[in-house]
Amino acid sequence: MLLLLLLLAAPQPGGTLVVRLDQEPPSLDKLTDSALAIDWLLERKVLESMAELGAHPDYALRPALATDWTVSPDQLTFTFHLRRGVTWHDGAPFSGKDVVATVRKILDPAVRAMHLRNNFADLADIACAPGDDYTVIAHYKKPYFLAFRALATLVIYPAHLLEKAGDVLHSPLHRAPVGTGPFRFEEWKTGNHISFVRNEKYWGRKAYLDRVVYRIVLDPAVGFQLLKQGEFALYLQLQPQQWLRDLDGLKGIERIKFFNPNYNWIGWNEQRPFFKDARARQAMNYAIDTEAVRNSFLMGLDRPTTCHFYLDSSACDHSLLPRPYDPPRAARLLDEAGWPVKDGVRFRLTFLMNADSVFLAKLTPYMQQELHKLGIEMDIKKVDWALFTQLVEQHDFDATSLRWGNSEVVQDPYEIWHSSQSKDGNNFVFFNDPRVDALIETARATLDDARRNELYREMGRRLYDEAPYTFLYSRPSLDAVRSDVRGLQPSVAWYDLQDVWLARP
């Protein structure tokens, strides 16, 4: 009987996993787009790296396209020994030439790869070993704490396609990736679905699933109705009310709650006259009852944060608590900064938001009401996602809100907080603080984790005082999975669908 039960519990090949996506990704191109949804769809599924994250909670690196590696004592030279016998989805052989070509494409100034390029700013050289295309050697000019990890976990693209890719934005790779992973791209029907099928020539253990289909359903009410009708095996990003209460009546559906490295924020554009003074930005924090918002709009499921980093990291100063709701204090700070009327100009801002955000649809009217009490008028500008990202990247907003997320627990804040990144990076609010710049630069060259996290905690205290953001919450993944889906394990790298299989009655 025990043997029979074990046999019944063994993974079974076959079947299609239908997954709900709440937002259509801008592309399927990790070289030019940093959207977290692209990581979810591609990493360890379609595209692979030389090393991959291990299991929760330590996420130590383990071999993937590389079988092993060595690091020089001065941590400036990294040598990777690559796996042989691997082929790309189009049948071409994989080698170290692909690793070298990927890094050089990222370093190409014609490619919009700023979010990756910062990790290789101090790279002196990368090449295959003489006469050995399966050994890659990288030399750095000076120490960088993320040098090895950034290179080891970089997803690799095929050199023979990169040669023809130009700026990548106009290449087939932008929407139809070619990788070495256990799934290969099938099709993308805009506004409807993106699908992948099992790679039958995969170098490792083949995936159990025949196919994965991501259905794009933006409206959470429509999506939930489709879940009730059995249309989804895995449902991503339930609304708090749906996850906490509405699932109770559904049979055969299980809840998943998991915190990835992420946080939501409201950003105040410091180029606007209203937000040049830190006191005005601090006042915005005191004017918003973030704890009441969390309990009423988010059902208390999100974790409050004041930190840029993964909440469980010692890079966060956990003594910094969210500013309390204190309208009188907000009014005093505004008065000290010369508002709500300065030089005959009334404090009137426009809040730019993604029209599909359920949370912001609730938060922004509340903000209007609270700021009005302080003599501040706030208009709300709702635009679709494509226009929203364009306007944010152009700094064309007074205030806005986004979520920063990461599929890694070790992060470099350079791209978001260094003053140089207001032009080509993600410093959208034009934050400029010489001390923060110095801390970030010193931290990049600090290899000792404890010392580096001390620097980051000091950086966090500067951000807290300067208040370029109102830090809101770290949001959990509130997902639902059908009970016949087996092998699903949440991780900061999302779900590894190679291990997923469907139990049959």
Side-chain angles (χ1 to χ4, degrees):
M1 177 62 73
L2 178 60
L3 178 60
L4 177 61
L5 289 174
L6 289 174
L7 289 173
L8 289 174
Q12 304 170 33
T16 296
L17 186 79
V18 181
V19 185
R20 182 254 179 163
L21 272 187
D22 66 327
Q23 206 169 84
E24 189 157 19
S27 74
L28 290 177
D29 170 15
K30 279 183 59 63
L31 293 178
T32 63
D33 279 315
S34 60
L36 192 58
I38 303 174
D39 294 345
W40 290 358
L41 270 63
L42 300 186
E43 284 191 5
R44 297 172 62 174
K45 302 165 189 68
V46 178
L47 302 175
E48 296 183 299
S49 49
M50 292 188 287
E52 63 184 20
L53 300 189
H56 176 79
D58 59 354
Y59 299 108
L61 296 185
R62 62 191 185 193
L65 290 176
T67 56
D68 60 87
W69 46 78
T70 58
V71 179
S72 65
D74 61 5
Q75 299 194 47
L76 293 177
T77 301
F78 311 107
T79 303
F80 295 88
H81 301 286
L82 303 184
R83 197 175 297 277
R84 296 171 184 266
V86 177
T87 58
W88 293 98
H89 293 155
D90 62 3
F94 163 80
S95 75
K97 294 178 180 178
D98 302 301
V99 177
V100 173
T102 300
V103 174
R104 290 182 176 165
K105 182 60 73 171
I106 289 168
L107 293 174
D108 182 349
V111 178
R112 192 183 69 183
M114 293 80 71
H115 60 294
L116 297 172
R117 194 173 298 141
N118 288 329
N119 291 330
F120 302 100
D122 297 320
L123 179 69
D125 181 60
I126 184 168
C128 294
D132 182 2
D133 287 346
Y134 291 89
T135 298
V136 172
I137 303 172
H139 299 285
Y140 271 72
K141 303 171 191 173
K142 59 184 181 181
Y144 173 43
F145 82 99
L146 269 185
F148 171 76
R149 199 170 180 100
L151 185 57
T153 60
L154 178 69
V155 295
I156 308 304
Y157 280 78
H160 64 285
L161 297 181
L162 287 179
E163 289 171 1
K164 301 178 287 185
D167 66 358
V168 188
L169 292 171
H170 301 92
S171 162
L173 289 173
H174 194 61
R175 284 180 61 96
V178 175
T180 58
F183 293 94
R184 58 181 176 82
F185 174 77
E186 183 183 42
E187 66 176 2
W188 181 353
K189 291 193 174 180
T190 302
N192 189 281
H193 73 268
I194 302 170
S195 61
F196 304 89
V197 295
R198 180 171 55 228
N199 176 14
E200 300 293 352
K201 297 181 179 180
Y202 184 55
W203 58 266
R205 177 182 56 74
K206 293 181 177 61
Y208 300 116
L209 296 167
D210 290 335
R211 196 164 178 252
V212 180
V213 178
Y214 296 90
R215 284 188 58 184
I216 300 160
V217 182
L218 306 183
D219 190 311
V222 173
F224 195 76
Q225 286 302 313
L226 293 173
L227 175 66
K228 290 169 66 175
Q229 294 166 19
E231 295 292 321
F232 295 110
L234 176 61
Y235 190 100
L236 307 180
Q237 304 296 318
L238 283 153
Q239 294 300 305
Q241 165 80 24
Q242 294 172 334
W243 188 88
L244 197 63
R245 299 175 182 172
D246 297 347
L247 286 180
D248 288 344
L250 300 186
K251 293 182 179 179
I253 298 291
E254 299 172 5
R255 292 176 173 88
I256 298 176
K257 179 185 178 186
F258 187 81
F259 282 92
N260 294 296
N262 74 76
Y263 63 91
N264 281 64
W265 51 271
I266 299 171
W268 316 106
N269 188 340
E270 295 186 27
Q271 281 204 326
R272 300 297 197 260
F274 320 121
F275 301 124
K276 286 186 179 296
D277 192 313
R279 291 170 295 187
R281 302 191 297 269
Q282 291 172 10
M284 298 297 104
N285 285 255
Y286 289 114
I288 304 167
D289 191 344
T290 55
E291 183 62 14
V293 166
R294 187 175 76 90
N295 289 321
S296 58
F297 299 158
L298 301 171
M299 313 296 286
L301 294 170
D302 292 35
R303 293 171 63 184
T305 185
T306 60
C307 180
H308 168 79
F309 300 97
Y310 187 36
L311 267 185
D312 295 331
S313 167
S314 60
C316 291
D317 183 341
H318 297 288
S319 70
L320 297 176
L321 303 178
R323 286 185 170 87
Y325 178 58
D326 191 342
R329 189 167 184 178
R332 288 196 301 273
L333 285 165
L334 283 171
D335 184 63
E336 291 172 12
W339 297 107
V341 179
K342 179 187 284 189
D343 300 327
V345 177
R346 175 162 291 279
F347 197 142
R348 186 181 191 113
L349 71 126
T350 299
F351 192 104
L352 176 69
M353 65 168 279
N354 170 22
D356 295 322
S357 173
V358 175
F359 171 62
L360 291 178
K362 297 176 181 178
L363 177 66
T364 48
Y366 164 78
M367 289 178 61
Q368 269 184 324
Q369 167 190 309
E370 293 300 316
L371 294 179
H372 179 74
K373 296 174 185 177
L374 297 170
I376 298 172
E377 299 306 317
M378 187 180 100
D379 300 316
I380 302 170
K381 182 177 181 179
K382 299 182 180 182
V383 297
D384 64 38
W385 177 252
L387 180 56
F388 173 78
T389 55
Q390 178 184 332
L391 293 174
V392 169
E393 289 173 357
Q394 294 172 350
H395 308 273
D396 191 4
F397 63 89
D398 297 331
T400 192
S401 181
L402 263 172
R403 183 193 312 179
W404 290 136
N406 206 298
S407 58
E408 256 280 22
V409 292
V410 185
Q411 301 165 37
D412 182 354
Y414 182 90
E415 178 191 353
I416 293 172
W417 292 117
H418 196 277
S419 61
S420 67
Q421 298 303 292
S422 59
K423 180 181 178 183
D424 292 326
N426 290 331
N427 185 351
F428 299 134
V429 296
F430 284 101
F431 178 68
N432 186 342
D433 184 289
R435 180 56 185 161
V436 169
D437 283 354
L439 288 167
I440 291 173
E441 291 163 11
T442 303
R444 283 168 71 91
T446 301
L447 302 181
D448 180 78
D449 291 347
R451 173 58 186 143
R452 186 174 60 256
N453 285 339
E454 284 182 18
L455 298 171
Y456 284 155
R457 289 193 294 273
E458 183 182 344
M459 183 192 91
R461 292 188 286 272
R462 293 287 296 181
L463 293 178
Y464 188 84
D465 291 340
E466 291 297 315
Y469 284 178
T470 294
F471 286 88
L472 293 174
Y473 321 102
S474 179
R475 306 209 66 182
S477 294
L478 299 176
D479 302 338
V481 61
R482 212 168 56 204
S483 57
D484 65 327
V485 178
R486 307 292 170 83
L488 198 69
Q489 294 293 331
S491 155
V492 295
W494 197 60
Y495 299 111
D496 188 352
L497 299 185
Q498 184 184 8
D499 296 329
V500 171
W501 56 283
L502 303 177
R504 301 190 184 109

